[in-house]
Amino acid sequence: MSKQDILQRLADTVLKGDVEGCRKAAQDAIAAKMPAYTAIMEGCKKGMDIVSGKYEKGEMFVPEILCSAEAMYAALEVLRPYLETGKAEQAGTVVIGVVEGDMHDIGKNLVRMLLEGSGYNVIDLGRDVQLDKFIQEAREKKADVIAASTLMTTTLSSMEDLMKMLGDQGVRNQFKVLIGGAATNVAFAEQIGADAWGADASQAVKIAGELIKQRRAGK
Amino acid sequence: MSWLPPMDQEWFMNGLKCAGALFQGQKMDRVPANPLVMGHSAFIHNRTLYDYYTKPSLGVELILNAAQFYGTLPMIMWIYAVYWCEDFGGKIRFPTGRMSAPAIEEYPYKTPEEAEKYEVLDAEELRKRPTWKRHEEGLEATKKLLGPGFLPHQFVYEMFVRVAFLVSPEKALLWTHKKPELVHKLLKKVVEQSVIQNKMVADQYGSVYITTSSLLAGSSTMSPEKCREFNIKYCKEMVERSMKAAPCRGVFYHLCGDHGKDWPLHEDLPTPPGTMMHVAYDGLKPADLTKVAKVFGNKCAILGNVDTALMMRGTPAQVYEQTKKDVLAYKDFQKGFIAGCACECPPFAPPANVMAFMRAVKDHGKLGG
């Protein structure tokens, strides 16, 4: 089987949410001496990109994305031990979490899955994350982007506090800040001084990529 | 002795008259307002959300005083967003900080095999469980304060989200694809449980006002077909069976979040007198209620949907303008329009915004020419 066939199988099985098929394709990639990073970026990512596009067009929904993510993680489990150190960090590092006071994390999890599928290094802080923790982790991991989410209007103020805290600590310009979640909108992002707002998981991943490029270009 | 000021009888009697007319499909002289002031009532009384959510009797007092303060309808519903989870072994956490609402920390069932063991609780058993106890305390406090204006409600929620509260939203959504038969099995039990809960309220208080809330099965998560298959048809069954099992004073259909593609599928749901339809968003914007009225306007009252983000972050002038626009566009709906927000009034909305909302309803809500 050619390397191209293996990559296509990775993409197809991710798209179909075929966990066993995807794991097998990843094993075949390793057996064929394919670099793990290539398998992720040209196989899994390709599949997740299609998933993401279909979600954006309303052709796929959250249950189907979760199935695809499950398949992708099965492949990543096989591929990660072979991944050259620092490859994901080279693509970009995103510290992600749901802000303090909010336990709703399904949207954040979708973004994380799509980011990982796109080959980025993702530090998932989970839900109900203390604001300090976002900054501390971003500094330690030399993150490009802090991605913060909230579903509830009650916790919108936490986002505002996060921005203020970044300013108070003198690190606002070190990171790009992306916000999202049902309670947020573009006007709110502008009001609090975030760099960008993601309307949904698919858009958030595209924007994160742009923000990483901007940060690395010193913009 | 209660800290509550004496009830403004004129406001109360007018409110009851208005609610009565609305629920009986009679003409009103003004557009009523119900911006769903719940947690916000704690904020304007300098109490914490923790106080509000952990002390149902206090919560009811806060809502009542806020309703009187703003001049909204005297409809009191003390609830929180993670009902019926801990009763089956889950763990919820009440807010410890200023901002948060109660949230689920641990779901009752982790695997499909565990979920198979979920059993419906009978009335006797449910009475011993925490959600029922808090709900009952809220109802008792409301009854005491409102007397004849008491509306005994039951918050049975969205059928699909109740499954999600048993196993986690991610698993519930994933299993609609991978284990649909298990999800259907759980949904049938949830319907059974909900009918029991509605009957429990009716047995205790003479009737029940059913409150549903479609939260997870919406247009941003599922295809419209899946919304129908995994929620709407079960909601319909739950309401129909509850109406047969107990005297029903109406249904509040709260379609929370984005229901742009699936709200028309709710067309066949029962709409007994007293029913309110509340469609919040179509995508990121409040749904166009003139479209909603084409389907539901001759069946039930429609609750308004001023953007909660505007209530929270806008200025009073902006809130006034938007509310005015909505009231003028929607006030002549056949079975009535109630000015409202797209969801619960945000707890930390500036009071001046809520007052601007009420002023716009007052200034522009006159009916009957």
Side-chain angles (χ1 to χ4, degrees), chain B residues 66-271:
Chain B
Q68 191 168 214
F69 173 72
Y70 287 126
T72 65
L73 279 179
M75 287 180 75
I76 296 180
M77 284 184 187
W78 179 91
I79 51 175
Y80 50 87
V82 289
Y83 256 43
W84 317 120
C85 170
E86 52 185 340
D87 314 271
F88 301 93
K91 284 187 188 154
I92 70 169
R93 191 190 63 180
F94 281 91
T96 47
R98 181 171 167 268
M99 300 299 181
S100 47
I104 297 174
E105 281 197 320
E106 206 176 308
Y107 296 94
Y109 307 111
K110 292 182 178 58
T111 63
E113 293 72 31
E114 282 180 21
E116 290 273 2
K117 292 177 191 156
Y118 163 56
E119 289 299 337
V120 175
L121 300 176
D122 62 21
E124 192 185 345
E125 194 53 44
L126 192 67
R127 275 182 202 290
K128 300 174 194 162
R129 307 290 170 116
T131 309
W132 175 269
K133 284 184 181 171
R134 290 190 202 102
H135 189 70
E136 187 182 38
E137 185 186 329
L139 290 178
E140 286 294 322
T142 310
K143 187 182 173 190
K144 194 173 150 198
L145 289 170
L146 294 189
F150 169 55
L151 191 62
H153 72 100
Q154 178 56 285
F155 185 41
V156 285
Y157 229 135
E158 171 194 286
M159 299 296 99
F160 183 72
V161 91
R162 289 190 61 161
V163 171
F165 285 178
L166 296 171
V167 299
S168 88
E170 273 182 41
K171 283 177 191 155
L173 286 163
L174 182 67
W175 293 353
T176 62
H177 205 74
K178 295 210 152 179
K179 298 185 178 299
E181 66 296 335
L182 173 60
V183 181
H184 284 300
K185 196 172 169 183
L186 294 172
L187 280 161
K188 282 177 191 158
K189 290 183 181 177
V190 161
V191 168
E192 186 70 36
Q193 186 69 70
S194 302
V195 174
I196 289 172
Q197 289 166 198
N198 286 329
K199 191 169 181 309
M200 283 168 75
V201 169
D203 287 347
Q204 197 160 328
Y205 300 102
S207 61
V208 62
Y209 188 82
I210 302 169
T211 300
T212 74
S213 177
S214 193
L215 182 69
L216 188 60
S219 299
S220 60
T221 50
M222 286 186 186
S223 65
E225 296 73 30
K226 273 204 168 172
C227 287
R228 190 203 296 273
E229 182 186 349
F230 290 99
N231 184 48
I232 299 168
K233 76 169 192 182
Y234 287 103
C235 181
K236 183 170 187 273
E237 185 189 336
M238 178 275 294
V239 176
E240 285 172 347
R241 286 181 54 192
S242 297
M243 285 170 65
K244 279 183 192 158
C248 173
R249 292 180 61 185
V251 188
F252 179 24
Y253 293 112
H254 170 53
L255 275 55
C256 190
D258 175 14
H259 285 272
K261 292 189 181 70
D262 63 275
W263 70 257
L265 304 180
H266 292 73
E267 186 180 5
D268 295 335
L269 292 176
T271 51

Side-chain angles (χ1 to χ4, degrees), chain A residues 14 22 44 48 67-77 113 116-117:
Chain A
V14 164
C22 204
C44 299
M48 282 312 272
C67 288
S68 290
E70 210 177 40
M72 177 193 78
Y73 280 121
L76 290 183
E77 203 178 302
M113 289 166 192
E116 287 184 331

Side-chain angles (χ1 to χ4, degrees), chain A residues 17 19 55 61-64 66-67 70 101 103 106 109 127-128 152-157 160 185 188 191 197, chain B residues 93 99-101 103-105 170 173-174 176-178 219-223 226 284 309 312-313 346-348:
Chain A
V19 175
Y55 174 64
F61 292 87
V62 176
E64 294 82 11
L66 292 170
C67 288
E70 210 177 40
M103 301 284 277
I106 193 160
N109 291 344
R127 53 190 189 166
D128 189 18
M152 302 192 307
T153 51
T154 46
T155 40
L156 277 175
S157 314
E160 203 167 4
N185 58 31
F188 175 70
Q191 259 181 3
W197 171 72
Chain B
R93 191 190 63 180
M99 300 299 181
S100 47
I104 297 174
E105 281 197 320
E170 273 182 41
L173 286 163
L174 182 67
T176 62
H177 205 74
K178 295 210 152 179
S219 299
S220 60
T221 50
M222 286 186 186
S223 65
K226 273 204 168 172
L284 297 168
M312 176 84 177
R313 307 288 308 180
F348 300 103

Side-chain angles (χ1 to χ4, degrees), chain B residues 293-331:
Chain B
K294 283 183 185 153
V295 178
F296 295 102
N298 63 349
K299 296 178 178 175
C300 61
I302 292 172
L303 183 59
N305 59 358
V306 171
D307 197 344
T308 50
L310 183 72
M311 294 297 288
M312 176 84 177
R313 307 288 308 180
T315 63
Q318 290 170 323
V319 171
Y320 183 92
E321 278 311 307
Q322 186 57 54
T323 309
K324 172 186 167 184
K325 204 172 144 195
D326 284 6
V327 168
L328 292 175
Y330 304 147
K331 68 178 182 177

